[in-house]
Amino acid sequence: MKVPYLMADPKIAEPDHPEEDWKIWTVINPATWMVPFFAILFIQMWIIHWYALALPGYGWKDSVRVKEPVAVVQPAPEQKVAQVQVQ
Amino acid sequence: MAESKNLSGLTDEQAKEFHEHWKHGVWSWVMIATVVHVVTWVYQPWF
């Protein structure tokens, strides 16, 4: 797959993707950069899960699903009813 | 031809060999993440 390079100099090699993706390792030494790369992945993982678990319905905060309390209709208790003052 | 010196110090064969392991890891991560997303959607769709 030919990937367009913005403003790139065509004289510089244009690797084919994904067939020539392996060439990245001729530039970046994984013995040096694999662990730092994974560290960045961990930070990204924390950020994404922090957000996702904060969403309503997810995470420990919403893990207990209580039945919706049914609205109970009953007459107001006696003493709460307003008394008419007869003058 | 003498082994061409790459920037990273890896030979082309080493780079190709490592890339196979790298691809294995990436696809494992993609598969696991897909399963987890399906399970999460079944638990609770997010939109």
Side-chain angles (χ1 to χ4, degrees), chain B residues 1-17:
Chain B
M1 188 268 249
E3 244 172 63
S4 62
K5 211 61 192 106
N6 289 318
L7 279 173
S8 66
L10 272 70
T11 63
D12 286 3
E13 275 58 41
Q14 286 171 327
K16 282 177 184 159
E17 183 196 351

Side-chain angles (χ1 to χ4, degrees), chain A residues 64-77:
Chain A
V64 179
R65 293 202 202 179
V66 222
K67 289 270 172 307
E68 291 302 313
V70 179
V72 176
V73 181
Q74 67 186 20

Side-chain angles (χ1 to χ4, degrees), chain A residues 27-47:
Chain A
V27 176
I28 299 172
N29 188 335
T32 311
W33 294 105
M34 187 168 70
V35 172
F37 181 78
F38 284 169
I40 292 168
L41 282 188
F42 265 74
I43 292 166
Q44 169 190 278
M45 178 179 77
W46 288 324
I47 294 170

Side-chain angles (χ1 to χ4, degrees), chain A:
Chain A
M1 172 181 84
K2 269 284 174 242
V3 175
Y5 284 67
L6 304 175
M7 309 280 284
D9 175 359
K11 286 191 294 302
I12 298 171
E14 273 183 14
D16 220 3
H17 298 290
E19 295 76 9
E20 291 181 313
D21 285 352
W22 62 269
K23 289 187 174 178
I24 188 66
W25 310 117
T26 63
V27 176
I28 299 172
N29 188 335
T32 311
W33 294 105
M34 187 168 70
V35 172
F37 181 78
F38 284 169
I40 292 168
L41 282 188
F42 265 74
I43 292 166
Q44 169 190 278
M45 178 179 77
W46 288 324
I47 294 170
I48 291 171
H49 284 86
W50 192 294
Y51 164 73
L53 293 170
L55 291 175
Y58 292 97
W60 299 115
K61 67 191 184 326
D62 292 335
S63 61
V64 179
R65 293 202 202 179
V66 222
K67 289 270 172 307
E68 291 302 313
V70 179
V72 176
V73 181
Q74 67 186 20
E78 211 39 52
Q79 68 280 6
K80 287 242 174 84
V81 178
Q83 307 303 322
V84 178
Q85 310 296 336
V86 179
Q87 303 304 337

